């Protein structure tokens, strides 16, 4: 597969707009570890984040707008969690023929409260332990 397909996709205005809107909708809070990611980390380096596709992109899925841009297939992750998921996917796929990282994602349910001005006053992330219950 040509790397150009992915480069063009991830550098496109449409993807960047989709990813930024999705990240904003998740309040820039990693959906796996729950850590709030600001512009810089404690050590002064810039925090990086990724809008991750739960069903990985390939030559077929990248052509499907529902998978490529659909928010049901996206997850906001800090770079550390994103790298860990891909490492786990690579490790498990070699040993047990796992083809998707969906089961490795740590799903959360988010409770958010706002004041009369629309400002966030309360955020509570609840771990989803029952994988048979939809988020």
């Amino acid at each position: 597969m040509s790397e150009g397909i992915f480069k063009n996709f991830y550098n496109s205005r449409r993807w960047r707009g989709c990813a930024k809107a999705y990240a904003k909708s998740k309040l820039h809070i990693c959906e796996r570890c729950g850590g709030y990611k600001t512009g810089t980390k404690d050590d002064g380096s810039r925090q990086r984040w990724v809008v991750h596709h739960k069903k990985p992109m390939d030559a077929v899925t990248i052509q499907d707008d529902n998978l490529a841009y659909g928010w049901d297939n996206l997850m906001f992750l800090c770079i550390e969690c994103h790298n860990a998921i891909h490492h786990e996917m690579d490790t498990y796929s070699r040993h047990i023929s796992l083809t998707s990282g969906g089961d490795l994602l740590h799903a959360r349910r988010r409770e958010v409260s706002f004041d009369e001005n629309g400002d966030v006053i309360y955020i509570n992330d609840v771990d989803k332990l029952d994988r048979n219950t939809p988020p």
Side-chain angles (χ1 to χ4, degrees):
M1 152 88 77
S2 169
E3 292 297 316
I5 293 172
F6 293 112
K7 184 176 180 180
N8 290 339
F9 174 79
Y10 287 111
N11 287 327
S12 72
R13 179 176 288 176
R14 183 177 182 192
W15 169 250
R16 288 180 184 251
C18 175
K20 285 181 183 181
Y22 184 80
K24 185 176 181 182
S25 78
K26 298 302 176 185
L27 304 174
H28 290 89
I29 299 172
C30 178
E31 293 183 73
R32 187 170 191 244
C33 71
Y36 183 74
K37 305 305 178 185
T38 60
T40 57
K41 297 194 289 189
D42 292 339
D43 66 3
S45 63
R46 182 175 167 265
Q47 178 58 283
R48 295 176 51 213
W49 53 269
V50 175
V51 175
H52 172 75
H53 287 96
K54 295 176 190 175
K55 181 171 178 70
M57 292 293 98
D58 59 27
V60 175
T61 57
I62 204 166
Q63 313 255 343
D64 183 339
D65 283 354
N66 291 324
L67 293 175
Y69 302 103
W71 285 16
D72 289 344
N73 191 38
L74 301 180
M75 189 169 204
F76 182 81
L77 301 169
C78 65
I79 194 69
E80 293 86 0
C81 287
H82 183 256
N83 291 344
I85 284 174
H86 278 277
H87 174 73
E88 291 166 3
M89 286 170 55
D90 291 344
T91 301
Y92 287 114
S93 65
R94 280 194 302 265
H95 297 290
I96 59 171
S97 301
L98 183 74
T99 59
S100 171
D103 287 340
L104 300 171
L105 301 176
H106 184 77
R108 303 179 86 79
R109 186 186 62 189
R110 177 166 289 141
E111 298 169 350
V112 181
S113 297
F114 302 90
D115 66 14
E116 62 277 354
N117 297 322
D119 297 320
V120 176
I121 57 174
Y122 173 77
I123 298 174
N124 183 32
D125 285 328
V126 180
D127 287 337
K128 182 182 141 203
L129 300 175
D130 182 2
R131 291 184 188 264
N132 296 322
T133 305

PDB file of all heavy atoms in Angstrom, residues 23-59:
ATOM      1  N   ALA A  23     -11.588  16.063  19.225  1.00  0.00           N
ATOM      2  CA  ALA A  23     -10.775  16.304  20.425  1.00  0.00           C
ATOM      3  C   ALA A  23     -11.459  17.323  21.326  1.00  0.00           C
ATOM      4  O   ALA A  23     -11.514  17.149  22.550  1.00  0.00           O
ATOM      5  CB  ALA A  23      -9.384  16.783  20.033  1.00  0.00           C
ATOM      6  N   LYS A  24     -11.983  18.372  20.726  1.00  0.00           N
ATOM      7  CA  LYS A  24     -12.674  19.402  21.513  1.00  0.00           C
ATOM      8  C   LYS A  24     -13.910  18.813  22.193  1.00  0.00           C
ATOM      9  O   LYS A  24     -14.179  19.125  23.352  1.00  0.00           O
ATOM     10  CB  LYS A  24     -13.069  20.559  20.605  1.00  0.00           C
ATOM     11  CG  LYS A  24     -13.678  21.719  21.332  1.00  0.00           C
ATOM     12  CD  LYS A  24     -13.955  22.882  20.396  1.00  0.00           C
ATOM     13  CE  LYS A  24     -14.551  24.045  21.171  1.00  0.00           C
ATOM     14  NZ  LYS A  24     -14.860  25.172  20.268  1.00  0.00           N
ATOM     15  N   SER A  25     -14.625  17.938  21.498  1.00  0.00           N
ATOM     16  CA  SER A  25     -15.825  17.325  22.087  1.00  0.00           C
ATOM     17  C   SER A  25     -15.486  16.451  23.287  1.00  0.00           C
ATOM     18  O   SER A  25     -16.319  16.239  24.159  1.00  0.00           O
ATOM     19  CB  SER A  25     -16.575  16.501  21.040  1.00  0.00           C
ATOM     20  OG  SER A  25     -15.959  15.249  20.825  1.00  0.00           O
ATOM     21  N   LYS A  26     -14.256  15.944  23.341  1.00  0.00           N
ATOM     22  CA  LYS A  26     -13.806  15.106  24.454  1.00  0.00           C
ATOM     23  C   LYS A  26     -13.052  15.928  25.501  1.00  0.00           C
ATOM     24  O   LYS A  26     -12.439  15.360  26.412  1.00  0.00           O
ATOM     25  CB  LYS A  26     -12.918  13.962  23.948  1.00  0.00           C
ATOM     26  CG  LYS A  26     -13.641  13.030  23.012  1.00  0.00           C
ATOM     27  CD  LYS A  26     -14.859  12.428  23.689  1.00  0.00           C
ATOM     28  CE  LYS A  26     -15.672  11.572  22.758  1.00  0.00           C
ATOM     29  NZ  LYS A  26     -16.899  11.088  23.372  1.00  0.00           N
ATOM     30  N   LEU A  27     -13.113  17.264  25.349  1.00  0.00           N
ATOM     31  CA  LEU A  27     -12.486  18.196  26.292  1.00  0.00           C
ATOM     32  C   LEU A  27     -10.983  17.965  26.416  1.00  0.00           C
ATOM     33  O   LEU A  27     -10.388  18.259  27.443  1.00  0.00           O
ATOM     34  CB  LEU A  27     -13.153  18.126  27.670  1.00  0.00           C
ATOM     35  CG  LEU A  27     -14.656  18.374  27.677  1.00  0.00           C
ATOM     36  CD1 LEU A  27     -15.218  18.125  29.067  1.00  0.00           C
ATOM     37  CD2 LEU A  27     -14.983  19.779  27.200  1.00  0.00           C
ATOM     38  N   HIS A  28     -10.371  17.409  25.382  1.00  0.00           N
ATOM     39  CA  HIS A  28      -8.937  17.101  25.364  1.00  0.00           C
ATOM     40  C   HIS A  28      -8.523  16.233  26.551  1.00  0.00           C
ATOM     41  O   HIS A  28      -7.458  16.419  27.122  1.00  0.00           O
ATOM     42  CB  HIS A  28      -8.104  18.380  25.288  1.00  0.00           C
ATOM     43  CG  HIS A  28      -8.218  19.050  23.966  1.00  0.00           C
ATOM     44  ND1 HIS A  28      -9.193  19.982  23.687  1.00  0.00           N
ATOM     45  CD2 HIS A  28      -7.509  18.900  22.833  1.00  0.00           C
ATOM     46  CE1 HIS A  28      -9.050  20.387  22.447  1.00  0.00           C
ATOM     47  NE2 HIS A  28      -8.046  19.748  21.896  1.00  0.00           N
ATOM     48  N   ILE A  29      -9.390  15.292  26.904  1.00  0.00           N
ATOM     49  CA  ILE A  29      -9.107  14.341  27.985  1.00  0.00           C
ATOM     50  C   ILE A  29      -8.938  12.973  27.346  1.00  0.00           C
ATOM     51  O   ILE A  29      -9.824  12.492  26.641  1.00  0.00           O
ATOM     52  CB  ILE A  29     -10.238  14.314  29.028  1.00  0.00           C
ATOM     53  CG1 ILE A  29     -10.387  15.690  29.675  1.00  0.00           C
ATOM     54  CG2 ILE A  29      -9.974  13.236  30.076  1.00  0.00           C
ATOM     55  CD1 ILE A  29     -11.599  15.821  30.574  1.00  0.00           C
ATOM     56  N   CYS A  30      -7.812  12.343  27.589  1.00  0.00           N
ATOM     57  CA  CYS A  30      -7.533  11.023  27.023  1.00  0.00           C
ATOM     58  C   CYS A  30      -8.631  10.049  27.445  1.00  0.00           C
ATOM     59  O   CYS A  30      -8.945   9.930  28.631  1.00  0.00           O
ATOM     60  CB  CYS A  30      -6.162  10.528  27.498  1.00  0.00           C
ATOM     61  SG  CYS A  30      -5.749   8.878  26.903  1.00  0.00           S
ATOM     62  N   GLU A  31      -9.187   9.351  26.465  1.00  0.00           N
ATOM     63  CA  GLU A  31     -10.280   8.415  26.740  1.00  0.00           C
ATOM     64  C   GLU A  31      -9.796   7.094  27.313  1.00  0.00           C
ATOM     65  O   GLU A  31     -10.601   6.273  27.742  1.00  0.00           O
ATOM     66  CB  GLU A  31     -11.087   8.158  25.473  1.00  0.00           C
ATOM     67  CG  GLU A  31     -11.850   9.373  25.003  1.00  0.00           C
ATOM     68  CD  GLU A  31     -12.696   9.085  23.792  1.00  0.00           C
ATOM     69  OE1 GLU A  31     -13.730   8.412  23.927  1.00  0.00           O
ATOM     70  OE2 GLU A  31     -12.304   9.537  22.695  1.00  0.00           O
ATOM     71  N   ARG A  32      -8.507   6.885  27.360  1.00  0.00           N
ATOM     72  CA  ARG A  32      -7.978   5.640  27.923  1.00  0.00           C
ATOM     73  C   ARG A  32      -7.495   5.846  29.353  1.00  0.00           C
ATOM     74  O   ARG A  32      -7.862   5.115  30.254  1.00  0.00           O
ATOM     75  CB  ARG A  32      -6.851   5.086  27.066  1.00  0.00           C
ATOM     76  CG  ARG A  32      -6.367   3.718  27.507  1.00  0.00           C
ATOM     77  CD  ARG A  32      -5.422   3.135  26.469  1.00  0.00           C
ATOM     78  NE  ARG A  32      -5.135   1.745  26.713  1.00  0.00           N
ATOM     79  CZ  ARG A  32      -3.928   1.281  27.012  1.00  0.00           C
ATOM     80  NH1 ARG A  32      -2.901   2.098  27.096  1.00  0.00           N
ATOM     81  NH2 ARG A  32      -3.731   0.006  27.205  1.00  0.00           N
ATOM     82  N   CYS A  33      -6.663   6.858  29.574  1.00  0.00           N
ATOM     83  CA  CYS A  33      -6.097   7.055  30.910  1.00  0.00           C
ATOM     84  C   CYS A  33      -6.834   8.145  31.697  1.00  0.00           C
ATOM     85  O   CYS A  33      -6.647   8.256  32.904  1.00  0.00           O
ATOM     86  CB  CYS A  33      -4.605   7.376  30.831  1.00  0.00           C
ATOM     87  SG  CYS A  33      -4.205   9.012  30.185  1.00  0.00           S
ATOM     88  N   GLY A  34      -7.613   8.947  31.015  1.00  0.00           N
ATOM     89  CA  GLY A  34      -8.372   9.983  31.702  1.00  0.00           C
ATOM     90  C   GLY A  34      -7.561  11.201  32.079  1.00  0.00           C
ATOM     91  O   GLY A  34      -8.076  12.104  32.735  1.00  0.00           O
ATOM     92  N   GLY A  35      -6.301  11.267  31.686  1.00  0.00           N
ATOM     93  CA  GLY A  35      -5.457  12.405  32.021  1.00  0.00           C
ATOM     94  C   GLY A  35      -5.817  13.626  31.201  1.00  0.00           C
ATOM     95  O   GLY A  35      -6.027  13.551  30.007  1.00  0.00           O
ATOM     96  N   TYR A  36      -5.912  14.749  31.831  1.00  0.00           N
ATOM     97  CA  TYR A  36      -6.201  15.987  31.129  1.00  0.00           C
ATOM     98  C   TYR A  36      -4.918  16.481  30.485  1.00  0.00           C
ATOM     99  O   TYR A  36      -3.907  16.650  31.145  1.00  0.00           O
ATOM    100  CB  TYR A  36      -6.749  17.035  32.092  1.00  0.00           C
ATOM    101  CG  TYR A  36      -7.125  18.315  31.403  1.00  0.00           C
ATOM    102  CD1 TYR A  36      -8.262  18.398  30.622  1.00  0.00           C
ATOM    103  CD2 TYR A  36      -6.334  19.444  31.516  1.00  0.00           C
ATOM    104  CE1 TYR A  36      -8.608  19.569  29.981  1.00  0.00           C
ATOM    105  CE2 TYR A  36      -6.662  20.624  30.872  1.00  0.00           C
ATOM    106  CZ  TYR A  36      -7.799  20.680  30.106  1.00  0.00           C
ATOM    107  OH  TYR A  36      -8.126  21.843  29.466  1.00  0.00           O
ATOM    108  N   LYS A  37      -4.934  16.697  29.188  1.00  0.00           N
ATOM    109  CA  LYS A  37      -3.731  17.063  28.454  1.00  0.00           C
ATOM    110  C   LYS A  37      -3.778  18.542  28.087  1.00  0.00           C
ATOM    111  O   LYS A  37      -4.642  18.981  27.343  1.00  0.00           O
ATOM    112  CB  LYS A  37      -3.599  16.220  27.186  1.00  0.00           C
ATOM    113  CG  LYS A  37      -3.637  14.733  27.463  1.00  0.00           C
ATOM    114  CD  LYS A  37      -2.587  14.309  28.469  1.00  0.00           C
ATOM    115  CE  LYS A  37      -2.673  12.844  28.769  1.00  0.00           C
ATOM    116  NZ  LYS A  37      -1.791  12.395  29.791  1.00  0.00           N
ATOM    117  N   THR A  38      -2.841  19.279  28.616  1.00  0.00           N
ATOM    118  CA  THR A  38      -2.739  20.698  28.307  1.00  0.00           C
ATOM    119  C   THR A  38      -1.669  20.896  27.249  1.00  0.00           C
ATOM    120  O   THR A  38      -1.127  19.940  26.719  1.00  0.00           O
ATOM    121  CB  THR A  38      -2.370  21.489  29.574  1.00  0.00           C
ATOM    122  OG1 THR A  38      -1.112  21.020  30.055  1.00  0.00           O
ATOM    123  CG2 THR A  38      -3.418  21.337  30.658  1.00  0.00           C
ATOM    124  N   GLY A  39      -1.334  22.133  26.954  1.00  0.00           N
ATOM    125  CA  GLY A  39      -0.350  22.436  25.926  1.00  0.00           C
ATOM    126  C   GLY A  39       1.043  21.938  26.241  1.00  0.00           C
ATOM    127  O   GLY A  39       1.799  21.588  25.348  1.00  0.00           O
ATOM    128  N   THR A  40       1.419  21.887  27.516  1.00  0.00           N
ATOM    129  CA  THR A  40       2.753  21.415  27.883  1.00  0.00           C
ATOM    130  C   THR A  40       2.652  20.423  29.036  1.00  0.00           C
ATOM    131  O   THR A  40       1.739  20.474  29.852  1.00  0.00           O
ATOM    132  CB  THR A  40       3.672  22.573  28.317  1.00  0.00           C
ATOM    133  OG1 THR A  40       3.062  23.271  29.403  1.00  0.00           O
ATOM    134  CG2 THR A  40       3.901  23.546  27.174  1.00  0.00           C
ATOM    135  N   LYS A  41       3.617  19.512  29.080  1.00  0.00           N
ATOM    136  CA  LYS A  41       3.674  18.539  30.163  1.00  0.00           C
ATOM    137  C   LYS A  41       4.457  19.140  31.330  1.00  0.00           C
ATOM    138  O   LYS A  41       5.023  20.220  31.224  1.00  0.00           O
ATOM    139  CB  LYS A  41       4.327  17.246  29.676  1.00  0.00           C
ATOM    140  CG  LYS A  41       3.536  16.560  28.582  1.00  0.00           C
ATOM    141  CD  LYS A  41       3.967  15.144  28.327  1.00  0.00           C
ATOM    142  CE  LYS A  41       5.295  15.028  27.675  1.00  0.00           C
ATOM    143  NZ  LYS A  41       5.642  13.677  27.226  1.00  0.00           N
ATOM    144  N   ASP A  42       4.515  18.413  32.438  1.00  0.00           N
ATOM    145  CA  ASP A  42       5.211  18.891  33.630  1.00  0.00           C
ATOM    146  C   ASP A  42       6.679  19.194  33.363  1.00  0.00           C
ATOM    147  O   ASP A  42       7.254  20.090  33.958  1.00  0.00           O
ATOM    148  CB  ASP A  42       5.100  17.865  34.769  1.00  0.00           C
ATOM    149  CG  ASP A  42       3.675  17.741  35.295  1.00  0.00           C
ATOM    150  OD1 ASP A  42       2.879  18.687  35.082  1.00  0.00           O
ATOM    151  OD2 ASP A  42       3.367  16.713  35.906  1.00  0.00           O
ATOM    152  N   ASP A  43       7.301  18.434  32.456  1.00  0.00           N
ATOM    153  CA  ASP A  43       8.724  18.653  32.175  1.00  0.00           C
ATOM    154  C   ASP A  43       8.959  19.792  31.182  1.00  0.00           C
ATOM    155  O   ASP A  43      10.083  20.053  30.782  1.00  0.00           O
ATOM    156  CB  ASP A  43       9.387  17.366  31.678  1.00  0.00           C
ATOM    157  CG  ASP A  43       8.847  16.902  30.320  1.00  0.00           C
ATOM    158  OD1 ASP A  43       7.997  17.602  29.717  1.00  0.00           O
ATOM    159  OD2 ASP A  43       9.287  15.838  29.864  1.00  0.00           O
ATOM    160  N   GLY A  44       7.875  20.465  30.762  1.00  0.00           N
ATOM    161  CA  GLY A  44       8.010  21.602  29.857  1.00  0.00           C
ATOM    162  C   GLY A  44       7.893  21.252  28.390  1.00  0.00           C
ATOM    163  O   GLY A  44       7.777  22.128  27.540  1.00  0.00           O
ATOM    164  N   SER A  45       7.916  19.957  28.073  1.00  0.00           N
ATOM    165  CA  SER A  45       7.779  19.561  26.669  1.00  0.00           C
ATOM    166  C   SER A  45       6.311  19.638  26.249  1.00  0.00           C
ATOM    167  O   SER A  45       5.404  19.584  27.080  1.00  0.00           O
ATOM    168  CB  SER A  45       8.318  18.149  26.448  1.00  0.00           C
ATOM    169  OG  SER A  45       7.564  17.212  27.184  1.00  0.00           O
ATOM    170  N   ARG A  46       6.095  19.774  24.972  1.00  0.00           N
ATOM    171  CA  ARG A  46       4.753  19.913  24.429  1.00  0.00           C
ATOM    172  C   ARG A  46       4.026  18.570  24.490  1.00  0.00           C
ATOM    173  O   ARG A  46       4.553  17.544  24.061  1.00  0.00           O
ATOM    174  CB  ARG A  46       4.845  20.379  22.979  1.00  0.00           C
ATOM    175  CG  ARG A  46       3.523  20.602  22.318  1.00  0.00           C
ATOM    176  CD  ARG A  46       3.752  21.183  20.910  1.00  0.00           C
ATOM    177  NE  ARG A  46       2.529  21.109  20.155  1.00  0.00           N
ATOM    178  CZ  ARG A  46       2.214  20.113  19.324  1.00  0.00           C
ATOM    179  NH1 ARG A  46       3.060  19.141  19.126  1.00  0.00           N
ATOM    180  NH2 ARG A  46       1.068  20.100  18.673  1.00  0.00           N
ATOM    181  N   GLN A  47       2.818  18.563  25.041  1.00  0.00           N
ATOM    182  CA  GLN A  47       2.019  17.342  25.092  1.00  0.00           C
ATOM    183  C   GLN A  47       1.488  17.041  23.701  1.00  0.00           C
ATOM    184  O   GLN A  47       1.066  17.926  22.993  1.00  0.00           O
ATOM    185  CB  GLN A  47       0.851  17.490  26.063  1.00  0.00           C
ATOM    186  CG  GLN A  47      -0.055  16.284  26.141  1.00  0.00           C
ATOM    187  CD  GLN A  47       0.649  15.011  26.546  1.00  0.00           C
ATOM    188  OE1 GLN A  47       1.338  14.381  25.760  1.00  0.00           O
ATOM    189  NE2 GLN A  47       0.498  14.629  27.793  1.00  0.00           N
ATOM    190  N   ARG A  48       1.545  15.796  23.315  1.00  0.00           N
ATOM    191  CA  ARG A  48       1.031  15.382  22.021  1.00  0.00           C
ATOM    192  C   ARG A  48      -0.187  14.494  22.222  1.00  0.00           C
ATOM    193  O   ARG A  48      -0.262  13.755  23.201  1.00  0.00           O
ATOM    194  CB  ARG A  48       2.118  14.641  21.245  1.00  0.00           C
ATOM    195  CG  ARG A  48       3.278  15.561  20.909  1.00  0.00           C
ATOM    196  CD  ARG A  48       4.433  14.855  20.233  1.00  0.00           C
ATOM    197  NE  ARG A  48       3.976  14.060  19.100  1.00  0.00           N
ATOM    198  CZ  ARG A  48       4.551  12.907  18.735  1.00  0.00           C
ATOM    199  NH1 ARG A  48       5.580  12.430  19.392  1.00  0.00           N
ATOM    200  NH2 ARG A  48       4.091  12.230  17.699  1.00  0.00           N
ATOM    201  N   TRP A  49      -1.121  14.575  21.302  1.00  0.00           N
ATOM    202  CA  TRP A  49      -2.307  13.748  21.361  1.00  0.00           C
ATOM    203  C   TRP A  49      -2.646  13.258  19.958  1.00  0.00           C
ATOM    204  O   TRP A  49      -2.154  13.776  18.966  1.00  0.00           O
ATOM    205  CB  TRP A  49      -3.484  14.496  21.966  1.00  0.00           C
ATOM    206  CG  TRP A  49      -3.795  15.816  21.315  1.00  0.00           C
ATOM    207  CD1 TRP A  49      -3.305  17.046  21.669  1.00  0.00           C
ATOM    208  CD2 TRP A  49      -4.648  16.060  20.195  1.00  0.00           C
ATOM    209  NE1 TRP A  49      -3.801  18.013  20.847  1.00  0.00           N
ATOM    210  CE2 TRP A  49      -4.637  17.440  19.930  1.00  0.00           C
ATOM    211  CE3 TRP A  49      -5.425  15.228  19.387  1.00  0.00           C
ATOM    212  CZ2 TRP A  49      -5.370  18.008  18.902  1.00  0.00           C
ATOM    213  CZ3 TRP A  49      -6.162  15.806  18.352  1.00  0.00           C
ATOM    214  CH2 TRP A  49      -6.132  17.179  18.136  1.00  0.00           C
ATOM    215  N   VAL A  50      -3.491  12.235  19.908  1.00  0.00           N
ATOM    216  CA  VAL A  50      -3.854  11.604  18.650  1.00  0.00           C
ATOM    217  C   VAL A  50      -5.343  11.287  18.676  1.00  0.00           C
ATOM    218  O   VAL A  50      -5.857  10.817  19.681  1.00  0.00           O
ATOM    219  CB  VAL A  50      -3.074  10.278  18.453  1.00  0.00           C
ATOM    220  CG1 VAL A  50      -3.528   9.545  17.216  1.00  0.00           C
ATOM    221  CG2 VAL A  50      -1.583  10.532  18.421  1.00  0.00           C
ATOM    222  N   VAL A  51      -6.009  11.548  17.564  1.00  0.00           N
ATOM    223  CA  VAL A  51      -7.352  11.027  17.381  1.00  0.00           C
ATOM    224  C   VAL A  51      -7.166   9.702  16.650  1.00  0.00           C
ATOM    225  O   VAL A  51      -6.696   9.656  15.522  1.00  0.00           O
ATOM    226  CB  VAL A  51      -8.258  11.995  16.607  1.00  0.00           C
ATOM    227  CG1 VAL A  51      -9.609  11.359  16.341  1.00  0.00           C
ATOM    228  CG2 VAL A  51      -8.427  13.298  17.403  1.00  0.00           C
ATOM    229  N   HIS A  52      -7.474   8.629  17.361  1.00  0.00           N
ATOM    230  CA  HIS A  52      -7.181   7.252  16.949  1.00  0.00           C
ATOM    231  C   HIS A  52      -8.404   6.620  16.298  1.00  0.00           C
ATOM    232  O   HIS A  52      -9.531   6.846  16.730  1.00  0.00           O
ATOM    233  CB  HIS A  52      -6.790   6.473  18.213  1.00  0.00           C
ATOM    234  CG  HIS A  52      -6.626   5.004  18.027  1.00  0.00           C
ATOM    235  ND1 HIS A  52      -5.537   4.448  17.412  1.00  0.00           N
ATOM    236  CD2 HIS A  52      -7.425   3.970  18.409  1.00  0.00           C
ATOM    237  CE1 HIS A  52      -5.653   3.121  17.423  1.00  0.00           C
ATOM    238  NE2 HIS A  52      -6.786   2.817  18.016  1.00  0.00           N
ATOM    239  N   HIS A  53      -8.184   5.844  15.246  1.00  0.00           N
ATOM    240  CA  HIS A  53      -9.247   5.048  14.638  1.00  0.00           C
ATOM    241  C   HIS A  53      -9.313   3.697  15.343  1.00  0.00           C
ATOM    242  O   HIS A  53      -8.319   2.969  15.366  1.00  0.00           O
ATOM    243  CB  HIS A  53      -8.976   4.825  13.144  1.00  0.00           C
ATOM    244  CG  HIS A  53      -9.181   6.039  12.315  1.00  0.00           C
ATOM    245  ND1 HIS A  53      -8.145   6.883  11.956  1.00  0.00           N
ATOM    246  CD2 HIS A  53     -10.305   6.558  11.780  1.00  0.00           C
ATOM    247  CE1 HIS A  53      -8.639   7.863  11.219  1.00  0.00           C
ATOM    248  NE2 HIS A  53      -9.938   7.699  11.104  1.00  0.00           N
ATOM    249  N   LYS A  54     -10.465   3.369  15.925  1.00  0.00           N
ATOM    250  CA  LYS A  54     -10.621   2.076  16.595  1.00  0.00           C
ATOM    251  C   LYS A  54     -10.482   0.936  15.596  1.00  0.00           C
ATOM    252  O   LYS A  54      -9.818  -0.051  15.863  1.00  0.00           O
ATOM    253  CB  LYS A  54     -11.989   1.998  17.275  1.00  0.00           C
ATOM    254  CG  LYS A  54     -12.179   2.981  18.402  1.00  0.00           C
ATOM    255  CD  LYS A  54     -13.588   2.880  18.930  1.00  0.00           C
ATOM    256  CE  LYS A  54     -13.907   4.004  19.886  1.00  0.00           C
ATOM    257  NZ  LYS A  54     -15.319   3.955  20.307  1.00  0.00           N
ATOM    258  N   LYS A  55     -11.154   1.063  14.458  1.00  0.00           N
ATOM    259  CA  LYS A  55     -10.950   0.105  13.365  1.00  0.00           C
ATOM    260  C   LYS A  55      -9.866   0.706  12.494  1.00  0.00           C
ATOM    261  O   LYS A  55     -10.039   1.767  11.916  1.00  0.00           O
ATOM    262  CB  LYS A  55     -12.234  -0.100  12.568  1.00  0.00           C
ATOM    263  CG  LYS A  55     -12.075  -1.092  11.435  1.00  0.00           C
ATOM    264  CD  LYS A  55     -13.404  -1.438  10.814  1.00  0.00           C
ATOM    265  CE  LYS A  55     -13.256  -2.398   9.652  1.00  0.00           C
ATOM    266  NZ  LYS A  55     -12.879  -3.725  10.023  1.00  0.00           N
ATOM    267  N   PRO A  56      -8.716   0.060  12.417  1.00  0.00           N
ATOM    268  CA  PRO A  56      -7.568   0.650  11.730  1.00  0.00           C
ATOM    269  C   PRO A  56      -7.837   0.992  10.268  1.00  0.00           C
ATOM    270  O   PRO A  56      -8.610   0.324   9.592  1.00  0.00           O
ATOM    271  CB  PRO A  56      -6.497  -0.441  11.838  1.00  0.00           C
ATOM    272  CG  PRO A  56      -6.929  -1.293  12.982  1.00  0.00           C
ATOM    273  CD  PRO A  56      -8.420  -1.247  12.985  1.00  0.00           C
ATOM    274  N   MET A  57      -7.178   2.033   9.809  1.00  0.00           N
ATOM    275  CA  MET A  57      -7.295   2.449   8.419  1.00  0.00           C
ATOM    276  C   MET A  57      -6.398   1.578   7.538  1.00  0.00           C
ATOM    277  O   MET A  57      -5.263   1.283   7.889  1.00  0.00           O
ATOM    278  CB  MET A  57      -6.887   3.919   8.252  1.00  0.00           C
ATOM    279  CG  MET A  57      -7.835   4.918   8.903  1.00  0.00           C
ATOM    280  SD  MET A  57      -9.472   5.000   8.124  1.00  0.00           S
ATOM    281  CE  MET A  57     -10.438   3.936   9.195  1.00  0.00           C
ATOM    282  N   ASP A  58      -6.957   1.145   6.417  1.00  0.00           N
ATOM    283  CA  ASP A  58      -6.200   0.432   5.389  1.00  0.00           C
ATOM    284  C   ASP A  58      -6.737   0.899   4.041  1.00  0.00           C
ATOM    285  O   ASP A  58      -7.513   1.859   3.975  1.00  0.00           O
ATOM    286  CB  ASP A  58      -6.299  -1.091   5.568  1.00  0.00           C
ATOM    287  CG  ASP A  58      -7.720  -1.624   5.516  1.00  0.00           C
ATOM    288  OD1 ASP A  58      -8.592  -1.000   4.868  1.00  0.00           O
ATOM    289  OD2 ASP A  58      -7.966  -2.684   6.107  1.00  0.00           O
ATOM    290  N   ALA A  59      -6.354   0.245   2.968  1.00  0.00           N
ATOM    291  CA  ALA A  59      -6.749   0.694   1.630  1.00  0.00           C
ATOM    292  C   ALA A  59      -8.263   0.710   1.445  1.00  0.00           C
ATOM    293  O   ALA A  59      -8.790   1.528   0.692  1.00  0.00           O
ATOM    294  CB  ALA A  59      -6.113  -0.207   0.569  1.00  0.00           C
TER     295      ALA A  59
END
